[in-house]
Amino acid sequence: QVQLVESGGGFVQAGGSLRLSCAASGRIFSISAMGWYRQAPGKQRELVATISTGGITNYLDSVKGRFTISRDNTKKTLSLEMNSLQPEDTAVYYCNFRMRSLPLSSERDYWGQGTQVTVSS
């Protein structure tokens, strides 16, 4: 059974920094895209950043220059370094891995449990 476990959320004042991590375990044959999403109260889940197998990154406009996504393919981990945090960054953050559990299985999306990030003004 594949599982994604997140860590690193918390409470920080505006201008502060946090680092989120996500680790995959279980039967995993391959991982392609990885990403971070967030959902604020009363809002839809939105894409924050993605990173391809080859390291190509893509960011939500509002976090460009402040957030950095990275991955370790050997350790099957994903990170999000968040700097200059603002109150509007407050949300539950979810990691997402697109994985294949067996050689002949289809790729599917797996999600972490979510970690709360709260930024005070």
Side-chain angles (χ1 to χ4, degrees):
Q1 184 176 354
V2 176
Q3 188 176 17
L4 298 184
V5 178
E6 300 180 31
S7 60
F11 181 93
V12 65
Q13 292 187 332
S17 299
L18 285 173
R19 181 180 177 89
L20 305 183
S21 297
C22 181
S25 62
R27 183 193 293 271
I28 299 169
F29 175 73
S30 64
I31 304 173
S32 55
M34 295 180 174
W36 288 98
Y37 291 71
R38 68 185 182 187
Q39 188 166 18
K43 295 186 177 181
Q44 289 189 335
R45 189 173 297 190
E46 64 178 354
L47 176 65
V48 176
T50 61
I51 184 167
S52 70
T53 305
I56 297 173
T57 58
N58 183 49
Y59 294 94
L60 180 68
D61 283 347
S62 62
V63 308
K64 285 180 181 178
R66 301 188 297 122
F67 291 11
T68 302
I69 189 171
S70 60
R71 63 188 283 171
D72 186 322
N73 293 323
T74 300
K75 295 181 179 179
K76 301 182 180 64
T77 58
L78 177 70
S79 297
L80 185 68
E81 185 74 34
M82 305 185 293
N83 298 313
S84 302
L85 282 161
Q86 300 301 315
E88 52 265 34
D89 295 317
T90 295
V92 177
Y93 284 70
Y94 300 88
C95 60
N96 170 270
F97 287 18
R98 182 156 294 172
M99 298 189 287
R100 182 175 283 122
S101 58
L102 296 169
L104 297 181
S105 63
S106 300
E107 278 194 328
R108 55 157 288 191
D109 287 323
Y110 293 83
W111 294 89
Q113 80 279 12
T115 186
Q116 178 70 46
V117 171
T118 302
V119 185
S120 68
S121 58

